Amino acid sequence: MTRPLVICDCDEVLLHFVGPFGDYLTAEHDLSLHLDTFALSGNIRRADGTSIEPTGFMPLLNGFFDTHMVTQTPAPGAATALAALAERCDIVILTNVDDRHSPVRTAELARHGMPYRVVCNNGPKGAPVKALMDEYGASAGAFIDDLPPHHTSVKRVAPSVYRLHMVADPRLHALIPAAPDADARIDDWFTALPALQAALGVTP
Ligand SMILES: [Mg+2]
């Protein structure tokens, strides 16, 4: 009998992102990250208050992942919740970073008590979620991510997968409204665990 499959994002779900990314921008580039809206690229400013150009965003993001992934800290309760789920489910981390970042991401998650398979992706997550569900022949699935468009994509391509919208950093809670295409919005792992167990039919 196949097991349920949990497909979970990394940045701002399992590991904090905006805090370490902002620290990196300040320390390495003399820039600051302002959390006025959830549009990261427009909120990166120079000391004179001007925003960086949109083309400057991806090099900064990749620079962070190249050298500063080790500064990312785990969301409270994430490792414990995934460990509880792993007793009855398979776990895959589906993360939108380049393939070259996979070894460090995998090692960092393991270092924080989350020793699971990492799959790197680029773009919408519906198709890779469907592919993973097929690969595992999963009896049921759950998807956890902080970005609403990914929930829309998964709903369209793999509608039977339970979709949990989670935003780990409290400073972002008011900036990211509940994803309309998610089944639930829960921003902490302690509350999310029983909801996921119920949705996947693995209640203890
Ligand atoms: Mg994320």
Side-chain angles (χ1 to χ4, degrees):
M1 196 176 112
T2 61
R3 287 149 55 98
L5 178 61
V6 175
I7 301 169
C8 189
D9 181 36
C10 180
D11 291 310
E12 220 53 87
V13 173
L14 296 177
L15 300 181
H16 287 300
F17 171 73
V18 290
F21 184 53
D23 292 343
Y24 156 82
L25 292 173
T26 300
E28 302 294 328
H29 297 280
D30 202 22
L31 297 168
S32 55
L33 178 64
H34 296 257
L35 297 174
D36 303 329
T37 63
F38 192 64
L40 288 177
S41 60
N43 285 335
I44 298 174
R45 300 194 198 135
R46 303 181 187 87
D48 66 5
T50 57
S51 297
I52 65 159
E53 291 71 26
T55 52
F57 177 68
M58 283 310 293
L60 291 169
L61 185 65
N62 280 316
F64 172 76
F65 287 135
D66 280 333
T67 57
H68 281 63
M69 279 204 294
V70 296
T71 67
Q72 292 187 260
T73 53
T80 305
L82 286 191
L85 289 166
E87 293 175 9
R88 307 268 300 274
C89 308
D90 291 312
I91 312 278
V92 174
I93 312 306
L94 180 62
T95 177
N96 274 13
V97 295
D98 286 348
D99 284 332
R100 72 176 190 275
H101 298 127
S102 178
V104 176
R105 174 132 285 180
T106 303
E108 282 302 296
L109 284 166
R111 183 167 73 89
H112 291 297
M114 296 176 271
Y116 307 109
R117 176 185 173 191
V118 170
V119 172
C120 298
N121 180 62
N122 178 23
K125 292 190 175 178
V129 164
K130 171 78 163 57
L132 286 166
M133 291 295 291
D134 291 346
E135 177 187 335
Y136 283 76
S139 57
F143 172 75
I144 307 123
D145 205 289
D146 61 314
L147 298 180
H150 290 314
H151 290 282
T152 301
S153 174
V154 172
K155 183 181 183 181
R156 188 166 57 238
V157 182
S160 67
V161 171
Y162 174 78
R163 298 172 303 280
L164 176 62
H165 185 202
M166 178 186 291
V167 179
D169 192 312
R171 292 171 296 176
L172 298 176
H173 289 172
L175 297 180
I176 305 181
D181 291 321
D183 293 297
R185 165 72 177 259
I186 301 173
D187 288 330
D188 77 275
W189 278 103
F190 305 99
T191 311
L193 176 59
L196 288 162
Q197 288 170 321
L200 292 166
V202 294
T203 304

